[in-house]
């Protein structure tokens, strides 16, 4: 399973990193309806910090970003699964593919956590230097912002199909 594809599916909602049910269903190779049925049958396994349903407002904002039509597509708010919720799905969806996908998703979450920590360390060190010398290092901050944007752009473009040679 390609980690870049999974990383692109991870969103920040309510201050948590989550993957939406229809993205997970695609990865598992099942219908979203079947994934939701399995979750609803085992609702006790998914407390609020494992999985939550998006509010109408959150779903409207996301839907406008996905550019889906008001006539077609999903009519119900999706479930958002945290890292722990995805891990719990492996006990609900009992197939070889589900196990393989869950392992890949766990690796993607770990990778993103490491990436965040590395950039946070750089930001903390920059703040410490600014306080020590009593001035703002705008050029260094600009470089860090450029690197962050460059990495995000590479992740977004990584999932695209290559054209040409």
């Amino acid at each position: 399973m390609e980690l870049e594809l999974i990383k692109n599916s991870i969103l920040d909602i309510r201050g948590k990193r989550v993957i939406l049910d229809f993205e997970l269903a695609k990865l598992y190779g099942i219908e979203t309806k079947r994934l939701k049925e399995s979750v609803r049958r085992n609702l006790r396994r998914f407390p609020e910090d494992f999985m939550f349903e998006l509010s109408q407002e959150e779903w409207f904002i996301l839907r406008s970003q996905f550019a889906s039509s008001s006539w077609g597509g999903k009519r119900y708010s999706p479930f958002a699964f945290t890292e722990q919720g995805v891990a719990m799905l492996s006990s609900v969806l009992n197939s070889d593919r589900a196990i393989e996908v869950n392992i890949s998703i766990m690796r993607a979450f770990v990778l993103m956590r490491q990436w965040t920590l590395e950039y946070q360390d750089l930001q903390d060190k920059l703040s410490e230097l600014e306080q020590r010398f009593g001035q703002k290092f705008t050029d260094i901050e600009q470089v860090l912002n450029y690197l962050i944007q460059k990495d995000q752009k590479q992740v977004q473009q990584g999932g695209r199909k290559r054209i040409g040679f």
Side-chain angles (χ1 to χ4, degrees):
M1 180 78 20
E2 189 178 333
L3 290 179
E4 290 299 317
L5 178 71
I6 296 169
K7 280 174 44 179
N8 291 336
S9 300
I10 298 174
L11 304 170
D12 280 322
I13 301 175
R14 297 184 193 174
K16 298 177 182 181
R17 290 206 168 128
V18 297
I19 301 180
L20 300 178
D21 57 9
F22 56 89
E23 292 288 349
L24 285 168
K26 251 193 291 187
L27 293 170
Y28 291 130
I30 60 174
E31 293 178 23
T32 306
K33 180 179 181 178
R34 300 297 166 227
L35 184 131
K36 283 187 160 194
E37 283 175 354
S38 297
V39 169
R40 284 195 176 107
R41 278 194 298 256
N42 296 281
L43 215 50
R44 286 186 28 208
R45 293 177 184 254
F46 297 95
E48 186 76 16
D49 57 328
F50 282 29
M51 186 258 331
F52 56 89
E53 190 168 5
L54 296 184
S55 69
Q56 289 296 326
E57 183 180 341
E58 291 168 329
W59 179 224
F60 178 76
I61 291 168
L62 279 177
R63 227 176 34 189
S64 66
Q65 290 175 4
F66 294 142
S68 64
S69 75
S70 60
W71 291 100
K74 297 154 191 49
R75 302 203 186 281
Y76 302 103
S77 297
F79 291 152
F81 292 88
T82 64
E83 185 175 355
Q84 294 87 356
V86 172
M88 187 58 74
L89 272 174
S90 65
S91 67
V92 173
L93 303 173
N94 196 10
S95 70
D96 289 338
R97 180 170 175 134
I99 293 167
E100 183 182 314
V101 168
N102 275 10
I103 290 169
S104 297
I105 291 171
M106 293 299 113
R107 287 181 177 148
F109 271 109
V110 168
L111 251 171
M112 289 189 72
R113 195 168 27 254
Q114 289 172 344
W115 182 80
T116 301
L117 290 173
E118 286 174 16
Y119 280 105
Q120 186 60 46
D121 282 346
L122 285 174
Q123 188 66 39
D124 291 344
K125 288 175 183 176
L126 178 61
S127 295
E128 181 184 317
L129 286 172
E130 287 174 350
Q131 287 177 354
R132 186 184 312 161
F133 293 105
Q135 61 181 345
K136 192 153 181 73
F137 299 114
T138 55
D139 51 345
I140 296 174
E141 190 172 353
Q142 288 173 350
V143 169
L144 285 176
N145 287 332
Y146 171 78
L147 289 173
I148 290 170
Q149 290 172 358
K150 180 181 166 194
D151 283 349
Q152 288 174 346
K153 188 174 183 180
Q154 285 177 345
V155 167
Q156 290 170 350
Q157 292 179 349
R160 292 176 31 195
K161 186 177 177 183
R162 293 188 70 94
I163 299 174
F165 297 100

